[in-house]
Amino acid sequence: MVFRGILHELLATTAGAMAVIFLDFEGETVDLVCDRDLSDHDLRIIGAYHGLFLNRLRELCAKARIGNLHRFKMEFRSTTSLCVDLKEGYYIVLLLDEKGIEEKAWLKLEACKVAVLAEM
């Protein structure tokens, strides 16, 4: 599948990248790539929960009339997740370890977004 190649490119070229998950409007995984010893099942659940957060944040932004949500970040003890909205409810989640450089990861994730959108 063409998406897998795009996700692999993001994973391979982003410092600290642990996994990339591409999901649909129902929180179902379209594709995922990971180069760590992480459970696909756990990654799918993490991705689905990002969809719940994304939907709630969209609603709050609309209610507050502050504009459309494009992306969000969550920080944990040793992991950071970056989530970017695509279209029609699709989204991508990038998981970074402590070696990840957020600013560079956002740039790589944005390039991934453009590539995925071109194939949708």
Side-chain angles (χ1 to χ4, degrees):
M1 182 177 260
V2 69
F3 297 122
R4 182 168 290 266
I6 296 168
L7 301 180
H8 267 294
E9 176 72 16
L10 176 60
L11 187 70
T13 62
T14 305
M18 300 168 52
V20 184
I21 315 159
F22 174 36
L23 301 105
D24 69 13
F25 61 94
E26 294 180 324
E28 292 293 324
T29 300
V30 175
D31 210 342
L32 71 84
V33 295
C34 178
D35 69 353
R36 309 285 174 98
D37 186 24
L38 301 172
S39 159
D40 281 3
H41 176 73
D42 290 346
L43 290 172
R44 291 173 193 275
I45 291 172
I46 289 168
Y49 271 98
H50 277 72
L52 295 172
F53 301 141
L54 180 60
N55 287 332
R56 184 67 179 131
L57 287 168
R58 280 189 197 119
E59 292 169 4
L60 292 170
C61 291
K63 185 176 180 180
R65 297 184 189 143
I66 60 173
N68 294 329
L69 177 71
H70 298 284
R71 65 187 198 181
F72 71 92
K73 168 182 112 171
M74 290 191 292
E75 293 180 344
F76 305 93
R77 185 176 336 123
S78 61
T79 306
T80 299
S81 70
L82 307 180
C83 182
V84 64
D85 196 17
L86 298 174
K87 68 177 184 178
E88 300 170 6
Y90 286 78
Y91 59 101
I92 298 172
V93 176
L94 172 62
L95 298 178
L96 299 171
D97 65 18
E98 61 277 346
K99 296 175 187 168
I101 300 169
E102 183 182 338
E103 295 80 12
K104 291 183 180 182
W106 278 122
L107 293 173
K108 297 283 188 174
L109 186 53
E110 190 61 34
C112 177
K113 173 182 176 176
V114 169
V116 167
L117 285 172
E119 297 296 333
M120 290 180 75

